[in-house]
């Protein structure tokens, strides 16, 4: 009887330990799971090979806007027609002991599109052609995981949550009643799925995606304070009231609240 009681206590203690140690479940497991590594390839470009101003996501000057060299251009299957802009990825080199730097990884933000070249086969020069998963990295990021001589390397990647300094930035462009808003420096999921805008004398209006993370609307919002509702791809909504004062002008940028990292 005493032996059975000790055995029962042991089993109960073990189960309790398992429950205590497994109480945490990530809000979005696809961003954090160690088992979610996927296969791709990566190449690099040198600073002289590309203009850091512009890019298919519309972030403008990447250095000025806080993205620096921790960026990536994504192939067609990864780019998702611009929806993925702003998402963060962790990338590590695999399978090639000659060139990989063991135990390293690099974290980048999706800021550009690597266009397909249908003059080449996907496995022979058309590195960004479907169905290839491919990243084009600045050489500074590439050299964190591999020797530069490697050129085109097999890698593994996974989505991770973005960490950003400061709040979400709203840059207002356009003219007249055409209002365009670039949304950048987004933490959490990083990529924006939907946006609404509100003037101080209006209700909420949904905005349409123009390209990348540029959103637009035709509405007379002059001389009104502007508020924004931003929904990220993981379903989290951020509401930032009166981000832009009523005397805002086209070309100005304003900072609102930030998503949790």
């Amino acid at each position: 009887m005493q032996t059975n009681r000790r055995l029962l206590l042991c089993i109960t203690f073990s189960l309790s330990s398992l429950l205590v140690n497994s109480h945490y479940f990530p809000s979005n497991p696809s961003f954090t799971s160690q088992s979610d590594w996927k296969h791709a390839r990566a190449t690099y470009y040198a600073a002289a090979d590309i203009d850091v101003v512009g890019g298919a996501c519309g972030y403008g000057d990447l250095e000025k806007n806080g993205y620096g060299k921790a960026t990536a251009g994504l192939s067609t299957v990864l780019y998702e027609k611009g929806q993925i802009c702003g998402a963060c990825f962790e990338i590590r080199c695999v399978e090639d002991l000659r060139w990989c730097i063991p135990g390293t990884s690099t974290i980048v933000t999706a800021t550009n599109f690597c266009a397909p070249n249908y003059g080449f086969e996907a496995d022979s020069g058309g590195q960004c052609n479907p169905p290839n998963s491919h990243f084009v990295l600045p050489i500074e990021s590439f050299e964190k995981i591999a020797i530069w001589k490697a050129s085109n390397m097999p890698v593994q990647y996974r989505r991770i949550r973005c960490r950003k300094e400061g709040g979400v930035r709203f840059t207002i462009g356009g003219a007249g009643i055409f209002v365009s808003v670039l949304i950048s420096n987004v933490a959490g999921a990083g990529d924006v799925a939907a946006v609404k805008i509100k003037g101080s004398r209006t209700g909420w209006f949904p905005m349409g995606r123009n390209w990348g993370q540029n959103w637009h609307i035709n509405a007379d919002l002059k001389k009104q304070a502007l508020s924004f509702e931003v929904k990220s791809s993981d379903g989290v909504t951020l509401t930032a009231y009166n981000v832009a004062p009523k005397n805002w002008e086209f070309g100005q940028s304003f900072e609102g609240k930030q998503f949790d990292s």
Side-chain angles (χ1 to χ4, degrees):
M1 184 68 178
Q2 187 71 20
T3 301
N4 291 339
R5 183 177 298 175
R6 289 177 179 175
L7 180 60
L8 180 60
L9 287 172
C10 182
I11 292 173
T12 303
F13 178 79
S14 298
L15 289 174
S16 298
S17 299
L18 286 172
L19 290 172
V20 169
N21 291 331
S22 60
H23 72 283
Y24 172 69
F25 295 90
S27 58
N28 193 329
S30 65
F31 293 176
T32 57
S33 175
Q34 291 285 345
S35 64
D36 197 41
W37 291 99
K38 300 177 182 178
H39 291 278
R41 297 190 73 87
T43 49
Y44 67 85
Y45 63 86
D49 296 336
I50 196 168
D51 190 349
V52 296
V53 178
C57 292
Y59 291 127
D61 190 323
L62 298 176
E63 297 282 356
K64 181 180 178 181
N65 289 324
Y67 293 99
K69 297 294 193 303
T71 60
L74 277 59
S75 62
T76 303
V77 298
L78 297 175
Y79 185 66
E80 299 178 6
K81 298 181 179 179
Q83 163 67 54
I84 202 70
C85 290
C88 295
F89 295 88
E90 182 178 10
I91 302 173
R92 65 186 183 187
C93 183
V94 294
E95 298 179 8
D96 197 328
L97 298 179
R98 293 177 303 166
W99 308 119
C100 292
I101 301 175
T104 62
S105 66
T106 186
I107 294 174
V108 295
T109 302
T111 60
N112 211 341
F113 174 50
C114 179
N117 184 345
Y118 294 113
F120 295 92
E121 297 295 327
D123 59 353
S124 179
Q127 56 198 26
C128 289
N129 293 1
N132 294 346
S133 295
H134 195 94
F135 292 87
V136 181
L137 307 174
I139 191 169
E140 291 85 353
S141 290
F142 188 90
E143 286 188 318
K144 290 181 179 180
I145 58 173
I147 307 302
W148 68 270
K149 290 183 180 180
S151 184
N152 190 338
M153 284 293 299
V155 297
Q156 290 180 336
Y157 72 97
R158 63 178 177 178
R159 279 284 298 272
I160 62 171
R161 298 190 68 77
C162 300
R163 296 183 178 182
K164 303 294 181 184
E165 294 184 4
V168 175
R169 284 196 287 270
F170 303 86
T171 302
I172 304 174
I177 65 169
F178 178 76
V179 179
S180 174
V181 180
L182 168 64
I183 301 177
S184 60
N185 200 54
V186 179
D191 53 341
V192 176
V195 180
K196 292 181 181 179
I197 188 171
K198 179 186 181 303
S200 51
R201 300 193 303 271
T202 74
W204 289 99
F205 297 124
M207 303 187 75
R209 187 189 301 275
N210 197 357
W211 57 286
Q213 289 300 354
N214 284 275
W215 298 77
H216 72 277
I217 190 173
N218 288 316
D220 186 3
L221 296 171
K222 293 187 294 293
K223 297 182 180 179
Q224 298 183 60
L226 302 181
S227 302
F228 297 93
E229 183 181 280
V230 180
K231 184 178 181 180
S232 56
S233 65
D234 59 355
V236 178
T237 298
L238 177 80
T239 304
Y241 291 100
N242 301 319
V243 171
K246 66 179 182 180
N247 61 341
W248 63 266
E249 297 181 0
F250 292 113
Q252 291 182 320
S253 294
F254 303 94
E255 191 171 296
K257 297 192 298 183
Q258 184 58 277
F259 289 91
D260 290 336
S261 298

